[in-house]
Amino acid sequence: MSKFNLGQFPTTRLRRLRMKEFSRRMVSENNLSVNDLIWPLFVCEGSNIAEKINSMPGVFRYSIDNILKELETAAKLKIPAIALFPQIDSALKDENGSQAIDENNLICRTIKSIKKNFPDLGVICDVALDPFTSHGHDGLVVNDVVDNDATLEILEKQALVQANAGCDIIAPSDMMDGRVGRIRKALDDNNLHNTLILSYAAKYASKFYGPFRDAISSSGNLKGGSKSTYQMDIANSDEALREVALDISEGADMVMIKPGMPYLDIIQRVKSEFKIPTFAYQVSGEYAMIKGAIDNNWLDSMVIKESLLSFKRAGADGILTYFAKEIAKELNNE
Ligand code: PBG
């Protein structure tokens, strides 16, 4: 552990520093702050809508007007950024996810009204086709396979419509090879060189996304039921470093590991290897587990902070979490 003699009982007593609250605070190694929080939000069509999501108690799909109300709280709490996910009407979904590149689609209208009302709030948007495709896959399906290169053409356009609508951070979550480079080039060619890219670099083919797919109504659609031809094998770790290395070389400003808690080892490896801004996504299934246990009085609500601190210990610079608003409230009152 160290080349120094670290002492021995009874002269050394590690409990001594734990005896009082002040000394525990003095030597606390990691700290959770509002600056670490990114709040994912689901947006739907209509007005004055706050629709429950059964598998995510306490999380709602909001129409744009209600999102703006929620953001008043977020801005007061000084949450730095939100991540937006649209629930697209099923009538508008098609094989090619064409809505994704319509500059008047739900997501672009949402970005515009947020930016008009909260210009200082960071807005992050996914680049992937799953909210828009009738089959629920993140890319184009050609001969029963999600076609990498054909998908890149659309992702590039999707990134551009979102960035032009005012999105600050483009977050490719599709796991196609080469997408970060293509998107970076498209942004640069269109005078959008200051638009940031947060790549979902190591994104696993996880069942922890189940409730999210309910939230955007893509689960029933998912043909084949699995994204394992593009999302990573849950058994792999070295491969995550290759994914991250490639995304950095293609121009990613920040990288993300997803899911969060079951993949803390990956966060730690990525952060110590690359030392670039690294984010964790505490995904919908992690939220559902924790929230479900709290609501049933099986766990104390302090476990939320404990789960978030685990990301900080592992080396994450920030965390996407559905608990962002309630934890920001708590942190602001401390
Ligand atoms: C879309 C996307 C997913 C999530 C974020 N972006 C789902 C998926 O890949 O199937 C999951 C987020 C969550 O579970 O909270 N590509």
Side-chain angles (χ1 to χ4, degrees):
M1 194 177 148
S2 163
K3 61 184 174 177
F4 300 108
N5 178 355
L6 290 175
Q8 259 184 8
F9 179 78
T11 44
T12 298
R13 289 177 181 269
L14 292 183
R15 287 188 59 198
R16 215 178 270 138
L17 279 167
R18 295 180 199 141
M19 282 299 157
K20 295 197 171 162
E21 201 255 353
F22 84 84
S23 56
R24 287 194 295 270
R25 276 199 286 136
M26 275 171 71
V27 299
S28 173
E29 295 175 39
N30 288 286
N31 187 27
L32 183 68
S33 108
V34 175
N35 295 337
D36 299 319
L37 303 174
I38 296 170
W39 189 19
L41 282 162
F42 298 108
V43 60
C44 63
E45 293 287 0
S47 63
N48 197 22
I49 291 177
E51 214 171 22
K52 281 189 182 157
I53 299 160
N54 287 339
S55 47
M56 300 179 78
V59 175
F60 299 84
R61 285 179 211 104
Y62 294 111
S63 48
I64 297 179
D65 52 344
N66 278 349
I67 288 255
L68 296 178
K69 284 186 202 146
E70 287 295 313
L71 293 188
E72 272 169 36
T73 318
K76 264 193 219 119
L77 293 169
K78 294 209 155 57
I79 292 176
I82 57 153
L84 281 177
F85 300 97
Q87 183 206 35
I88 302 298
D89 286 343
S90 58
L92 292 176
K93 295 187 184 186
D94 62 22
E95 291 272 310
N96 299 331
S98 344
Q99 263 294 299
I101 58 174
D102 182 330
E103 59 189 32
N104 281 317
N105 68 14
L106 175 61
I107 195 79
C108 290
R109 279 181 279 122
T110 312
I111 300 168
K112 281 181 200 151
S113 44
I114 292 175
K115 278 290 150 185
K116 201 162 111 196
N117 291 279
F118 302 96
D120 299 330
L121 181 72
V123 174
I124 304 173
C125 292
D126 253 36
V127 165
L129 300 184
D130 55 328
F132 307 95
T133 49
S134 45
H135 45 70
H137 277 296
D138 292 25
L140 288 185
V141 179
V142 181
N143 298 329
D144 282 342
V145 177
V146 174
D147 188 293
N148 194 86
D149 299 11
T151 300
L152 293 182
E153 306 281 333
I154 307 189
L155 296 179
E156 179 183 319
K157 292 186 185 130
Q158 183 185 17
L160 281 178
V161 294
Q162 293 177 171
N164 279 323
C167 172
D168 301 286
I169 303 178
I170 294 292
S173 76
D174 52 285
M175 289 300 279
M176 297 302 118
D177 286 319
R179 88 274 208 218
V180 172
R182 282 287 288 271
I183 292 171
R184 183 70 271 161
K185 182 165 187 323
L187 292 170
D188 290 351
D189 289 348
N190 286 276
N191 209 20
L192 292 161
H193 48 266
N194 283 329
T195 301
L196 290 157
I197 296 180
L198 164 60
S199 90
Y200 287 71
K203 177 171 177 179
Y204 287 85
S206 170
K207 292 294 177 207
F208 281 102
Y209 310 148
F212 174 97
R213 293 178 190 166
D214 294 341
I216 65 162
S217 307
S218 73
S219 44
N221 303 338
L222 194 57
K223 222 166 98 184
S226 156
K227 298 190 176 183
S228 48
T229 70
Y230 44 106
Q231 297 181 347
M232 280 178 57
D233 184 337
I234 56 175
N236 292 359
S237 171
D238 289 342
E239 189 189 2
L241 300 188
R242 291 186 79 189
E243 281 286 359
V244 169
L246 276 171
D247 284 3
I248 297 171
S249 72
E250 290 175 29
D253 301 284
M254 303 168 271
V255 295
M256 193 200 297
I257 316 302
K258 178 180 172 212
M261 269 220 293
Y263 297 84
L264 288 174
D265 56 323
I266 309 297
I267 299 171
Q268 182 160 42
R269 282 193 78 185
V270 165
K271 185 63 182 183
S272 46
E273 180 79 20
F274 299 104
K275 310 204 183 323
I276 76 158
T278 302
F279 290 79
Y281 198 145
Q282 182 177 55
V283 299
S284 55
E286 298 174 68
Y287 173 85
M289 282 197 305
I290 294 173
K291 182 70 171 158
I294 293 171
D295 287 353
N296 279 291
N297 290 320
W298 295 334
L299 286 175
D300 187 282
S301 63
M302 288 292 287
V303 297
I304 300 173
K305 260 202 204 152
E306 189 174 335
S307 69
L308 298 176
L309 256 179
S310 77
F311 297 117
K312 297 297 301 283
R313 262 192 348 262
D317 296 286
I319 308 136
L320 289 92
T321 174
Y322 299 96
F323 291 114
K325 183 170 83 169
E326 75 180 88
I327 289 302
K329 271 188 194 152
E330 255 187 73
L331 292 170
N332 276 288
N333 289 331
E334 273 172 6

